[in-house]
């Protein structure tokens, strides 16, 4: 399915504000692909589709889980903030006819990250946070790192922020985020003192 067709379908699935966010993520992901030498077309499509399941009703989620045989983990069950990425990857395959595993994984892991992320996964993860419509305390710092070739530093800062936030709010931490963080730090991709 081409970009325009996907955008038209998404208009039926997302409120206007979320569609705008999706278009912004797509555009940002293309810019980052130029900087980091990633496939621009894949980045554009993954960015556009990434939140397609964000506004599913409980019933729609239940239907998808059954129909596509989705295995949600205990943290994802009844938690659309986490499950929309996993479900979104299945919707991307079944509804938008995306069969590229790199695009599907970038959608699947855009909320938590994971161990050993691909370049496209990292780009979509960061584009989701720093697209031009985003506004939160550390967004400028994240933009600066991401646009200046320091993608791993940006990811670590973002994982740290997420982990601190869930601790401060006494929420559960998704283990994939911890693993994503440890993988980058533990492999010396950047130094922990940075
Ligand atoms: Fe999302
Ligand atoms: Fe998003």
């Amino acid at each position: 399915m081409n970009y325009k067709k996907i955008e038209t379908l998404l208009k039926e699935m997302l409120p206007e504000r979320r569609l705008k966010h999706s278009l912004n993520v797509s555009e940002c992901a293309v810019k980052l692909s130029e900087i980091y030498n990633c496939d621009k077309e894949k980045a554009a499509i993954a960015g556009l589709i990434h939140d397609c399941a964000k506004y599913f009703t409980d019933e729609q989620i239940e239907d998808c889980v059954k129909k596509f045989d989705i295995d949600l983990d205990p943290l994802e069950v009844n938690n659309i903030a986490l499950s929309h990425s996993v479900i979104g990857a299945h919707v991307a395959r079944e509804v938008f006819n995306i069969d590229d595993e790199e695009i599907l994984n970038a959608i699947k892991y855009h909320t938590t990250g994971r161990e050993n992320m691909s370049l496209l996964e990292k780009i979509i993860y960061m584009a989701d946070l720093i697209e031009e419509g985003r506004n939160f305390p550390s967004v400028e710092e994240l933009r600066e790192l991401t646009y200046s070739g320091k993608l791993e530093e940006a990811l670590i800062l973002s994982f740290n922020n997420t982990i601190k936030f869930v601790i401060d709010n006494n929420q559960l931490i998704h283990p994939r985020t911890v693993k994503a963080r440890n993988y980058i730090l533990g492999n010396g991709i950047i130094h922990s003192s940075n």
Side-chain angles (χ1 to χ4, degrees):
M1 204 178 279
N2 69 33
Y3 194 92
K4 269 285 148 202
K5 185 94 198 288
I6 295 169
E7 190 183 334
T8 306
L9 257 182
L10 277 177
K11 273 187 194 151
E12 310 292 316
M13 303 169 77
L14 299 174
E16 209 181 317
R17 187 178 54 86
R18 184 61 51 173
L19 180 64
K20 177 74 181 134
H21 162 71
S22 304
L23 291 164
N24 286 350
V25 172
S26 179
E27 195 186 303
C28 177
V30 170
K31 280 189 211 159
L32 296 180
S33 295
E34 279 165 14
I35 297 172
Y36 292 102
N37 209 6
C38 192
D39 187 311
K40 279 188 263 185
E41 236 167 275
K42 289 187 186 190
I45 297 285
L48 183 62
I49 302 180
H50 81 285
D51 271 342
C52 66
K54 184 110 180 172
Y55 292 84
F56 276 14
T57 61
D58 291 348
E59 208 180 1
Q60 282 175 303
I61 291 170
E62 213 177 298
D63 280 354
C64 277
V65 167
K66 269 193 210 141
K67 202 156 85 189
F68 308 142
D69 196 22
I70 303 174
D71 198 12
L72 294 178
D73 68 33
L75 272 77
E76 290 161 345
V77 172
N78 293 324
N79 185 355
I80 189 85
L82 285 180
S83 68
H84 77 276
S85 16
V86 177
I87 293 167
H90 287 270
V91 174
R93 187 193 292 277
E94 305 293 338
V95 178
F96 296 97
N97 296 322
I98 304 295
D99 56 10
D100 184 289
E101 293 297 328
E102 274 190 272
I103 295 177
L104 295 173
N105 283 333
I107 297 169
K108 185 171 180 180
Y109 297 109
H110 84 263
T111 310
T112 57
R114 66 160 167 170
E115 232 171 339
N116 198 10
M117 292 166 81
S118 72
L119 179 58
L120 186 63
E121 287 168 32
K122 291 175 183 173
I123 283 176
I124 297 301
Y125 184 94
M126 287 315 304
D128 186 27
L129 294 172
I130 65 163
E131 59 92 350
E132 61 179 26
R134 291 289 206 189
N135 186 13
F136 55 90
S138 60
V139 73
E140 272 314 321
E141 198 182 346
L142 288 174
R143 283 188 183 123
E144 219 172 281
L145 289 169
T146 311
Y147 283 117
S148 66
K150 295 177 177 163
L151 187 58
E152 267 74 29
E153 280 91 333
L155 284 159
I156 289 295
L157 176 60
S158 160
F159 295 142
N160 285 348
N161 287 344
T162 303
I163 292 167
K164 283 177 198 167
F165 179 86
V166 294
I167 288 174
D168 288 346
N169 288 278
N170 215 20
Q171 295 169 356
L172 295 168
I173 300 175
H174 200 289
R176 277 203 297 270
T177 304
V178 176
K179 284 183 183 169
R181 175 183 182 273
N182 285 356
Y183 186 87
I184 295 176
L185 283 178
N187 281 286
I189 296 170
I190 62 169
H191 297 291
S192 53
S193 58
N194 277 0

